[in-house]
Amino acid sequence: MSRNYKISDQSKLHFISFATINWIDVFTRPSYKYIVVDSLNYCIKNKGLEVYAWCIMSNHVHLIIGSETANQSHIIRDLKKHTSKTIIKAIVDNPQESRKEWMLWMFEREGKRNSNNQDFQFWQQHNQPIELSSNFMMEQKLNYIHNNPVEAGFVWEPQDYPYSSAIDYAGEKGMVDIILLN
């Protein structure tokens, strides 16, 4: 993770975005999205991650996170490391993946360019955390996250996109165990 994008105040909530290398549209398949969903829930249950909002787009993820007990940067580092290995394995093992050779070539090429990697690089290194220091900023980022699938043309209403916390804010239970912002 770049020094320019470190989380300095661990007591604050943060808006974080991270993207696949070269903005590759990996998350067009639900099975790859479920790896991120499962990993978020694991980090919530076992690592002290608090998720207030989330959305998985075709090539990036948005989160509003916090933690009372753990270092947010370390949790995100571990989440990205685990999901990258697991998703790459899922791509390798998926006989229906028509883009397999091309994606693996791209991930391997980026991995070789970066001395922080052993083989592949799936995620871009930076997370671009933004400290949410006011209710206005929280509301702005929450709306941005939930409207992202609408703006992309995936759905007409934010709560209709299953890979987002918008459904939770509409009063139903979504896939990730979030904490609602008041």
Side-chain angles (χ1 to χ4, degrees), residues 119-136:
D119 297 309
F120 297 97
Q121 182 169 338
F122 180 81
W123 297 110
Q124 294 177 24
Q125 280 195 269
H126 52 80
N127 301 322
Q128 301 182 354
I130 297 171
E131 186 177 295
L132 301 179
S133 57
S134 70
N135 288 338
F136 174 78

Side-chain angles (χ1 to χ4, degrees), residues 2-20:
S2 168
R3 292 176 202 264
N4 297 332
Y5 296 117
K6 294 270 186 201
I7 295 174
S8 56
D9 189 344
Q10 296 293 324
S11 69
K12 302 284 187 188
L13 298 185
H14 290 86
F15 169 78
I16 294 182
S17 296
F18 45 94
T20 59

Side-chain angles (χ1 to χ4, degrees), residues 153-166:
F154 297 162
V155 292
W156 291 107
E157 298 293 330
Q159 65 270 17
D160 295 336
Y161 188 65
Y163 305 102
S164 161
S165 55

Side-chain angles (χ1 to χ4, degrees), residues 82-100:
H82 172 75
T83 55
S84 91
K85 287 181 180 182
T86 307
I87 293 167
I88 287 172
K89 182 178 181 341
I91 291 168
V92 167
D93 294 345
N94 186 348
Q96 281 87 36
E97 182 55 74
S98 59
R99 305 165 301 153
K100 181 187 305 192

Side-chain angles (χ1 to χ4, degrees), residues 28-90:
T28 56
R29 300 193 187 279
S31 60
Y32 306 149
K33 292 178 196 162
Y34 286 123
I35 292 168
V36 176
V37 167
D38 291 344
S39 297
L40 285 170
N41 282 322
Y42 177 87
C43 289
I44 291 166
K45 185 175 181 183
N46 298 293
K47 291 187 169 274
L49 180 66
E50 297 169 351
V51 176
Y52 295 86
W54 66 281
C55 183
I56 304 170
M57 297 299 289
S58 64
N59 53 23
H60 63 285
V61 174
H62 295 298
L63 303 168
I64 295 178
I65 65 164
S67 180
E68 290 186 15
T69 60
N71 183 303
Q72 295 173 48
S73 297
H74 294 172
I75 295 170
I76 295 302
R77 177 201 62 210
D78 293 349
L79 176 101
K80 287 174 67 176
K81 183 176 181 180
H82 172 75
T83 55
S84 91
K85 287 181 180 182
T86 307
I87 293 167
I88 287 172
K89 182 178 181 341

